[in-house]
Amino acid sequence: MRAVRMTAPGVLEHTEVPTPEAGPGEVLLRVGAVGACHSDLHILDAPAGVFPIPMTLGHEIAGTVDTVGAGVVGWSPGERAAVYGIIGCGRCRACLRGEENRCRVTPVGGVGLSRDGGLAEYVVVPASRLLPVGDMDLTQAAPLTDAGLTPYHAVELARPRLRPGTTCVVIGIGGLGHMGLQILLATTAVRIVAVDTSTAALDLAGRLGAHHVVQAGPDAVEKIRELVGPPPDGADVVLDFVGAQATLDTARQVVATGGQLLLVGLAGGTLPVRPVADEPPPVPFEAAVAVPFWGTRAELHEVIALAHDGRLHADVQTFPLAEAPQAYEALRRGDVHGRAVIVP
Ligand code: NAD
Ligand code: ZN
Ligand code: ZN
């Protein structure tokens, strides 16, 4: 079969590999669609030894069951499914609570992270990772599994603060951010300020229903404070889907006293938190900082329900498998709006 694999750090190759077979408890899925997540760029950029090499990338997968391995019950060939990408140990305290995104044994284990992913004609996954999607378009189903699930989980963590009359600043309206915005609109009554460097991303935010949009830049903090109030007031919740130094600095300067910062993006910035007696605190007093990771299977089920009900729709640009490397280059340049989805 054809697959797009990381064959060395930074190197992505469209190549031929043997079609895998489903082992006991596993399913061979014919891949229908795979989202190109910005995390794949971080995986490609990581030094040798952090991720398996060679490895087929792609952790945002939807497809059709081709064959089922020994002992699999509840799934038959022809059924359509989204893949929950995390593979926790299944027996630690967190996994037993259904919080595989907090697994204490394999904290970043998963399809396309610690074993071959979905940028291929077929992928093998444990049957327990599949969630039914019915007749949903698979290019819509795939982005739900990460671009939808990760912001959904972050919003769940922030939900106690997301009350009517509060404000939420959303930084980075890309793959995750444009889904996060819709999740906020569908499940809360907050006022939303969307922030991005790209005017196309801000246009998308406006079309989706953001109450205010602010272009990121040297005066972003000032412009956001005009909307959410200056310190010690500010935004009740800030979702940072970028994680660069500039966005973390913006985030900590616009969050309210007692507010919450959720750092989802992994762009490499640093957030100072230690208060110093005679200086303004780097993060306001009583603020909470969370570092969400992906989400739970139960949350993915809820994300799929939102999409089925027409409240969550990925803005998708599709690419054939052979053009996956070009899709990632476009993502790196900032030329993808919404989610790039590869259709093998
Ligand atoms: P993306 O490239 O689709 O979107 C990023 C958006 O941020 C773009 O719209 C871009 O214009 C904007 N942006 C870039 N720099 C900016 C700046 N300085 N100020 C304001 N906006 C800026 O990326 P994505 O796939 O949505 O992923 C976003 C981040 O989240 C990545 O770092 C990714 O690795 C991370 N991620 C984390 C998790 C998790 O579980 N914590 C899960 C998935 C992705
Ligand atoms: Zn991802
Ligand atoms: Zn575990």
Side-chain angles (χ1 to χ4, degrees), residues 199-295:
T199 47
L202 293 177
D203 287 348
L204 176 59
R207 282 201 301 282
L208 292 172
H211 302 90
H212 305 277
V213 299
V214 170
Q215 181 127 35
D219 58 348
V221 168
E222 198 182 314
K223 287 194 276 186
I224 298 167
R225 281 179 175 172
E226 279 168 23
L227 299 166
V228 301
D233 199 1
D236 300 272
V237 172
V238 180
L239 289 162
D240 183 353
F241 290 115
V242 183
Q245 195 57 52
T247 61
L248 293 172
D249 283 338
T250 300
R252 68 184 177 81
Q253 292 179 80
V254 303
V255 70
T257 298
Q260 187 171 18
L261 289 171
L262 295 108
L263 313 181
V264 179
L266 307 170
T270 302
L271 179 78
V273 290
R274 183 171 55 87
V276 178
D278 54 352
E279 290 171 21
V283 165
F285 283 117
E286 289 293 316
V289 177
V291 189
F293 179 64
W294 222 331

Side-chain angles (χ1 to χ4, degrees), residues 59-129:
H59 55 265
E60 206 177 82
I61 309 165
T64 307
V65 175
D66 186 84
T67 51
V68 300
V72 170
V73 287
W75 287 97
S76 322
E79 285 186 281
R80 295 148 58 79
V83 176
Y84 175 72
I86 299 177
I87 303 179
C89 75
R91 49 197 280 188
C92 74
R93 177 186 294 273
C95 283
L96 290 173
R97 294 177 62 92
E99 297 172 341
E100 287 168 273
N101 58 328
R102 295 179 178 177
C103 177
R104 297 181 182 201
V105 179
T106 56
V108 287
V111 181
L113 297 173
S114 59
R115 57 190 268 164
D116 281 338
L119 275 177
E121 291 176 85
Y122 295 91
V123 64
V124 167
V125 297
S128 59
R129 306 299 91 182

Side-chain angles (χ1 to χ4, degrees), residues 37-40 59-60 146-147 150 176 294 339:
C37 179
H38 207 111
S39 297
D40 293 326
H59 55 265
E60 206 177 82
D146 180 6
T150 302
L176 269 63
W294 222 331
R339 199 50 136 189

